[in-house]
Amino acid sequence: MEAFTFNTAELILLSAAGVLFIIQVIYYLGLYNRIHSHNKAVRKEETHFTRELPPLSVILCARNEADNLRKVLPAILEQDYPQFEVIVINDASTDETEDVLGFMEEKYPHLYHSFTPDSARYISHKKLALTLGIKASKYDWLVFTETNCIPASKDWLKLMARNFTSQTQVVLGYSGYDRTKGWLHKRVAFDTLFQSLRYLGLALAGKPYMGIGRNLAYRKELFFKQKGFSSYLNLQRGEDDLFINQIANSSNTRVETDFNATMRIQPVYRYKDWKEEKVSYMATARFYHGAQRYLLGFETLSRLLFYATCIAGIVFGILDFHWLVAGIALLLWLIRYTVQAIVINQTAKDMGGNRKYYFSLPVFDILQPLQSLKFKLCRLLRGKGDFMRR
C-alpha cells in the first residue's frame, strides 16, 4: 500500500498535470476540431449556403513574380464562374512581370493590370497596390489571393461565393501546403496548419480575429467604410490580418473549408524567407483588438507547462522508483497526444495536406511555441524601425 501513496510534491505535480491536461483537451475538442466538425456539418447539409453567384473581382499584387504568374494566373482566370474579373497590380517589378501580364491580357479579356507609381514613399507598397486594385474593381465582392498560391480546383470561386449571403461581409478561406520532402517544409506546413486551426477555429466559434490574404473575400463597400488601410498604412503588413481584425464579427463572417476551395501554397525552400514572414507577422499581431490572442497565448502556456509537469512526473517517478507517478504522468501525455493526433490528422486530411503527423507531432508541438518566441525576440531586437516600410 505504501507504493500507492503520494507525497505532497507528487500530489501537486500530478494535480497540475491533470488540470493542464483538461485544459489542453478542451482546446483541441472545443476549438481546434472545428474545421473538421464544420466539414461534417456541410456534408450532412446542416449549413445554409446561397445559390446566387454574384459577379466578383479577384485582386492580387505582384512584385518580381513573372514565373509564379505564368503558373498561377491561368488557374485563376479559368475558374468555373459565370462573371468575374482578375486585377493584378504590378508593384514596381524589375523582371518580366509586365510582359507576362501584357501577353495574358491578350488571351484573357477579363484580366486587367495596373502598377504602383514609382514616386510612392514611406508607405507599404502592398497596401498601396491592393488599394489601387480595389478602386479599379467593378464588382462589390472582392476576393484576394497571392502569387505563390494556386486554387485546388476550378470551383474555388464558386465555393467561396456560396457564402455570400445577405448578412455576410467577410469570408475566410483556407490555404495550405501539399506534401513535399524536406524538414523545413514539414515545419512550415505544420505551422501553417496549426495557425489555421486557430484563426479559422475561432471564426467558426463566432470569434473571428484575423484573416490571411492568400484566401480571403470581403465586400468593397466595407473597405471604403473602414477608410481602407489608413489606420496602419505605414506598417509593413496588416493588409489582411489587421483589416479583418477591425471589421470581422460573429454576424458578418463566414468560413469556407471545402478542400476544393483551398489555396495550395508553393513550397518554401529558404528558412530566411519563412523567418521574415513570421517576424513580420509578429510585428502586427500586437495591434490586434480582442481577447483572442490572449486566449491562444494561454493555450501555448498551458501546453508548455503540461509538457514540463509530465516530464517532471516521469523523471521523478523513475528516480524514486515510484512507478505509479511515472505511469500516471505518461498516461496523461499519451491520452493528450492521441486526441491531438486525431484532431490534427483529421483536419489535415480534410484540407488536402496529404501528410500524417505522428512521430513528428511532439517535436513540432514543442518547436512551434519556441520558434514563435525566437521570432518575437528577433522582432524586438530589430526595433521599431523594422515595422515600417523603407
Side-chain angles (χ1 to χ4, degrees):
M1 292 295 294
E2 184 178 349
F4 293 92
T5 59
F6 304 104
N7 59 40
T8 302
E10 292 170 341
L11 190 60
I12 293 174
L13 191 63
L14 292 179
S15 298
V19 171
L20 293 167
F21 165 79
I22 293 171
I23 293 172
Q24 282 289 297
V25 170
I26 289 174
Y27 269 96
Y28 272 91
L29 297 182
L31 178 61
Y32 299 156
N33 196 44
R34 284 187 178 267
I35 293 177
H36 179 66
S37 298
H38 180 70
N39 284 331
K40 288 174 61 178
V42 171
R43 287 193 292 267
K44 293 179 181 178
E45 299 183 349
E46 296 174 355
T47 303
H48 167 70
F49 295 108
T50 181
R51 295 181 179 273
E52 297 180 9
L53 295 176
L56 55 83
S57 301
V58 180
I59 299 174
L60 61 161
C61 60
R63 185 179 181 87
N64 296 327
E65 299 283 357
D67 291 338
N68 281 340
L69 290 173
R70 290 187 181 99
K71 294 182 289 186
V72 170
L73 277 182
I76 296 175
L77 290 160
E78 295 171 10
Q79 285 287 300
D80 182 14
Y81 198 83
Q83 187 177 2
F84 71 104
E85 63 178 357
V86 177
I87 300 173
V88 181
I89 304 299
N90 182 2
D91 184 15
S93 298
T94 56
D95 64 355
E96 298 176 348
T97 294
E98 188 68 21
D99 295 333
V100 171
L101 292 173
F103 173 78
M104 287 194 173
E105 279 184 337
E106 296 179 2
K107 183 178 180 181
Y108 300 99
H110 55 304
L111 171 64
Y112 308 92
H113 86 279
S114 184
F115 56 89
T116 55
D118 293 334
S119 58
R121 295 289 188 274
Y122 311 113
I123 62 174
S124 165
H125 270 237
K126 187 171 183 181
K127 292 188 188 68
L128 175 60
L130 290 175
T131 301
L132 292 173
I134 292 170
K135 288 184 176 180
S137 63
K138 294 188 293 186
Y139 304 123
D140 180 47
W141 271 105
L142 311 174
V143 180
F144 299 87
T145 188
E146 297 180 355
T147 52
N148 65 337
C149 300
I150 299 178
S153 76
K154 289 189 175 183
D155 294 325
W156 167 52
L157 290 180
K158 275 187 177 179
L159 291 167
M160 291 291 284
R162 68 179 180 173
N163 295 280
F164 296 169
T165 66
S166 58
Q167 295 81 25
T168 305
Q169 294 182 303
V170 179
V171 179
L172 306 179
Y174 180 92
S175 55
Y177 292 87
D178 290 323
R179 185 167 188 167
T180 303
K181 294 181 180 179
W183 173 253
L184 173 62
H185 181 78
K186 291 178 181 179
R187 283 183 63 186
V188 175
F190 179 83
D191 185 77
T192 302
L193 172 63
F194 195 76
Q195 184 185 35
S196 298
L197 293 177
R198 288 182 147 188
Y199 85 92
L200 293 180
L202 280 167
L204 289 167
K207 300 293 182 181
Y209 78 102
M210 65 165 283
I212 293 181
R214 300 187 186 112
N215 198 1
L216 172 67
Y218 52 79
R219 291 185 185 271
K220 185 177 182 178
E221 63 178 2
L222 198 61
F223 178 81
F224 291 109
K225 183 178 179 181
Q226 192 64 33
K227 297 182 180 179
F229 309 123
S230 59
S231 299
Y232 40 90
L233 194 61
N234 291 331
L235 291 179
Q236 184 175 348
R237 64 182 309 277
E239 68 283 343
D240 46 14
D241 54 346
L242 285 179
F243 184 72
I244 297 303
N245 182 256
Q246 290 184 336
I247 65 175
N249 57 56
S250 60
S251 60
N252 74 353
T253 303
R254 290 181 65 127
V255 179
E256 178 53 59
T257 59
D258 190 289
F259 164 71
N260 290 311
T262 65
M263 296 299 290
R264 314 314 300 173
I265 312 169
Q266 297 184 37
V268 175
Y269 296 105
R270 299 196 309 169
Y271 174 79
K272 180 181 178 181
D273 295 337
W274 181 52
K275 177 183 175 182
E276 288 300 316
E277 179 183 333
K278 296 296 293 184
V279 171
S280 183
Y281 166 75
M282 298 292 179
T284 59
R286 68 191 185 98
F287 294 100
Y288 291 164
H289 299 294
Q292 290 91 331
R293 70 188 182 108
Y294 300 106
L295 186 67
L296 297 176
F298 180 69
E299 185 279 323
T300 301
L301 177 61
S302 67
R303 185 197 325 173
L304 293 174
L305 290 176
F306 176 74
Y307 271 98
T309 53
C310 284
I311 292 172
I314 293 171
V315 171
F316 292 152
I318 293 174
L319 292 177
D320 293 341
F321 300 100
H322 201 160
W323 307 116
L324 183 59
V325 174
I328 292 174
L330 179 60
L331 180 63
L332 289 174
W333 184 87
L334 286 173
I335 296 174
R336 187 259 185 186
Y337 166 80
T338 302
V339 172
Q340 179 190 35
I342 291 173
V343 169
I344 287 179
N345 286 315
Q346 280 182 338
T347 305
K349 181 180 179 181
D350 286 350
M351 307 317 295
N354 298 321
R355 183 186 300 280
K356 298 291 185 181
Y357 297 97
Y358 292 116
F359 297 111
S360 61
L361 185 53
V363 179
F364 292 145
D365 199 31
I366 296 177
L367 274 181
Q368 193 265 336
L370 295 180
Q371 73 194 14
S372 295
L373 179 60
K374 176 183 176 181
F375 294 148
K376 286 180 181 179
L377 290 175
C378 289
R379 175 183 64 81
L380 292 173
L381 290 174
R382 288 183 182 183
K384 184 178 180 181
D386 190 55
F387 299 156
M388 312 295 287
R389 174 73 70 181
R390 292 196 184 108

